[in-house]
């Protein structure tokens, strides 16, 4: 077996950060030191991923194929997971004073980051599924940590719901992987992707591979909360501590998208994109319709994130549809998928950061009515939340969301999915109803002071939000900009 330790450097840093968090908590026993060491380790993990990704492509753990592939794309995904970890630590730092044990919290979060880092570099089905589960398993405990000290029954129920549904989805994905291996005789993602292409073909010669690939995709759809495997998300997000909900709503979506890209990136057939196109259409529609009825802040953001998953899946459908037909169209679809994913992560995390600062990291998101007049009484945080909501809606001055949706629609039109582009535009209009209603609520005359949200220290959430934006912009400039320039040049 060939092992390239330089290629494995980001994974070494991520796993070492988890171990170091436990050791520092054991030896120092100070919350600030444990959080600082974990955040530093996550930052170094992201730096290592960018450094390795800036060089030539590398492979490691190679024996009849490679299980670990270090590419610029993998480095960018690993960096995003590291940045989300730093952000979650910043939001959770005040909660760790009197809440969950800092060492336990930091260890679990670093373990989840390790799974996310490994996921971007996965080169076969085994490493892909192990990475997805390593990303997800620590989140079961993190969701219920608020209930540990406060006897919050909702937190325990949310954690159990997340656990049960996730275990079922994992079993389905493992069965799909086993059937795919039995049909193709290979665990490499390229062979698995070829097997997926048989799903929609009536003349398929490998029905076992088609069933296996269908089950595999169904299991992975849970990770991104795609319809019909989305019902767990609103209850779990609302039950979790706000910093954990912020990480869960972004990192799990990123992990699911990375896993789906790994399965679909080499598909040559045009008709295979219809599977993702239908999934994207149903997901964005159900998510937006569900968000219209919500009266609690986190539940609204959860249903909104389900709709955003539909927007994330749409360019992947265009990529699968355009594969093998036009290199320029496929390159544009790939760029749209990555760009919108990054925009979504930044804006979604910013929205949760603002809610965390307004409510406090140890509390839930509360009712939407409790945010009436917040932008008048706490102008900076109210404006930050309003800007994030406007960005998710795709309206100016939220230029990131506007640019992302425009890029996705253009990719769909060029990829021959005009009907999906039209449906996406209609869903954007539906989304305006609840996004603008919430923004209006923020600027209504405030209620009596006794009914206003409790004052908490906003400095941490504000600083973390700014750091996430700056660090993500740097990551994009270093790791993604050269490829984006190349893709755009190919269009001319």
């Amino acid at each position: 077996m060939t092992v390239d330790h330089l290629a494995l450097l980001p994974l070494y840093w991520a796993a070492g950060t988890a171990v170091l968090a436990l050791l520092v908590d054991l030896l120092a026993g100070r919350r600030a030191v444990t959080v600082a060491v974990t955040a530093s380790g996550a930052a170094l993990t992201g730096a290592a991923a960018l450094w390795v990704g800036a060089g030539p492509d590398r492979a490691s753990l190679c024996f009849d194929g490679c299980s670990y592939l270090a590419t610029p794309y993998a480095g960018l995904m690993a960096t995003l997971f590291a940045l989300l970890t730093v952000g979650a630590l910043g939001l959770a730092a005040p909660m760790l004073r009197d809440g969950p044990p800092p060492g336990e919290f930091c260890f679990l979060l670093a373990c989840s980051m390790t799974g996310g880092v490994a996921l971007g570099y996965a080169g076969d089905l085994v490493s892909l599924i192990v990475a997805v589960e390593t990303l997800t398993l620590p989140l079961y405990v993190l969701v219920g940590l608020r209930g540990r000290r406060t006897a919050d029954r909702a937190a325990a129920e949310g954690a159990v719901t997340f656990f049960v549904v996730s275990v079922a989805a994992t079993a389905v994905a493992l069965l799909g992987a086993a059937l795919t291996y039995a049909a193709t005789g290979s665990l490499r993602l390229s062979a698995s992707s070829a097997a997926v292409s048989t799903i929609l073909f009536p003349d398929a010669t490998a029905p076992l591979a088609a069933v296996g690939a269908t089950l595999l995709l169904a299991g992975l759809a849970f990770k991104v909360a795609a319809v019909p495997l989305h019902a767990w998300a609103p209850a779990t997000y609302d039950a979790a501590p706000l910093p954990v909900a912020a990480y869960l709503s972004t990192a799990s979506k990123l992990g699911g998208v990375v896993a789906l890209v790994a399965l679909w990136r080499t598909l040559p057939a045009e008709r295979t994109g219809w599977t993702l196109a239908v999934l994207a259409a149903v997901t964005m529609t159900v998510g937006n319709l569900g968000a219209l009825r919500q009266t609690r802040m986190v539940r609204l953001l959860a249903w909104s994130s389900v709709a955003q998953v539909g927007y994330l899946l749409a360019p992947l459908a265009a990529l699968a549809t355009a594969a093998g037909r036009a290199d320029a169209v496929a390159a544009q679809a790939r760029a749209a998928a990555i760009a919108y994913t990054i925009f979504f992560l930044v804006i979604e995390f910013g929205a949760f950061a603002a809610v965390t600062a307004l409510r406090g990291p140890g509390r839930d998101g509360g009712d939407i009515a409790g945010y009436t007049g917040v932008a008048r009484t706490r102008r900076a945080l109210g404006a930050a939340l309003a800007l994030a909501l406007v960005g998710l809606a795709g309206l100016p001055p939220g230029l990131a969301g506007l640019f992302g949706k425009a890029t996705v629609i253009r990719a769909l039109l060029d990829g021959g999915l005009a009907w999906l582009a039209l449906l996406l535009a209609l869903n954007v209009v539906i989304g305006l109803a609840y996004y603008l209603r919430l923004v209006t609520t923020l600027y209504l005359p405030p209620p009596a002071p006794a009914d206003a949200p409790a004052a908490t220290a906003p400095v941490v959430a504000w600083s973390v939000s700014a750091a996430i934006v700056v660090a993500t912009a740097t990551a994009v400039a270093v790791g993604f900009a050269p490829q984006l320039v190349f893709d755009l040049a190919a269009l001319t």
Side-chain angles (χ1 to χ4, degrees), residues 406-418:
T407 304
V408 170
I409 290 177
R410 180 183 175 187
L412 293 175
L413 293 174
D414 292 343
L417 295 174

Side-chain angles (χ1 to χ4, degrees), residues 258-427:
V258 171
L260 290 173
V261 167
L263 289 176
W264 287 84
R265 60 189 172 194
T266 58
L267 289 181
E270 179 178 339
R271 287 193 294 171
T272 55
W274 283 89
T275 300
L276 281 179
V278 172
L279 187 63
V282 175
T283 299
M284 67 176 71
T285 303
V286 172
N288 280 318
L289 293 178
L292 290 173
R293 305 174 52 200
Q294 302 309 309
T295 59
R296 290 184 60 81
M297 174 62 75
V298 173
R299 283 183 176 267
L300 185 144
L301 291 177
W303 280 101
S304 166
S305 70
V306 172
Q308 296 292 333
V309 167
Y311 304 151
L312 290 172
L313 294 176
L316 298 182
L319 176 60
T321 301
R325 190 185 62 177
D327 291 340
V329 175
Q332 182 184 14
R334 183 174 62 251
I338 298 175
Y340 195 82
T341 299
I342 295 174
F343 294 152
F344 165 74
L345 294 177
V346 174
I347 299 173
E348 179 82 354
F349 197 92
F352 270 99
V355 171
T356 303
L358 289 168
R359 295 285 298 176
R363 302 177 62 189
D364 58 25
D367 294 328
I368 293 176
Y371 292 81
T372 304
V374 161
R376 292 171 176 250
T377 57
R378 306 179 68 183
R379 296 181 180 179
L381 286 174
L385 180 57
L387 181 61
L389 295 171
V390 168
L392 289 172
L395 292 176
L399 297 180
L402 178 63
F403 173 75
K405 287 181 172 61
T407 304
V408 170
I409 290 177
R410 180 183 175 187
L412 293 175
L413 293 174
D414 292 343
L417 295 174
W419 67 271
L420 185 56
L422 177 60
L423 184 61
L424 191 150
L426 292 175
N427 271 278

Side-chain angles (χ1 to χ4, degrees), residues 119-202:
L119 182 58
Y121 295 101
D124 57 32
L125 278 176
V126 173
S127 57
L128 181 76
I129 293 178
V130 169
V132 168
E133 291 311 304
T134 305
L135 169 66
T136 307
L137 283 173
L139 297 178
Y140 305 151
V141 183
L142 288 174
V143 167
L145 281 182
R146 180 162 60 91
R148 175 176 178 176
R149 292 299 180 89
T150 62
D152 192 336
R153 181 176 178 180
E157 290 177 350
V160 172
T161 300
F162 185 29
F163 172 76
V164 172
V165 178
S166 182
V167 167
T170 300
V172 171
L174 286 172
L175 178 58
L179 293 178
T180 301
Y181 174 70
T184 63
S186 175
L187 291 171
R188 283 181 289 178
L189 288 173
S190 58
S192 301
S193 298
V196 173
S197 65
T198 66
I199 293 176
L200 297 177
F201 286 89

Side-chain angles (χ1 to χ4, degrees), residues 371-376 386 389 432-445:
Y371 292 81
T372 304
V374 161
R376 292 171 176 250
L389 295 171
L432 293 178
Y434 59 85
Y435 284 126
L436 294 183
R437 181 190 66 184
L438 184 51
V439 172
T440 302
T441 300
L442 298 177
Y443 284 94
L444 287 175

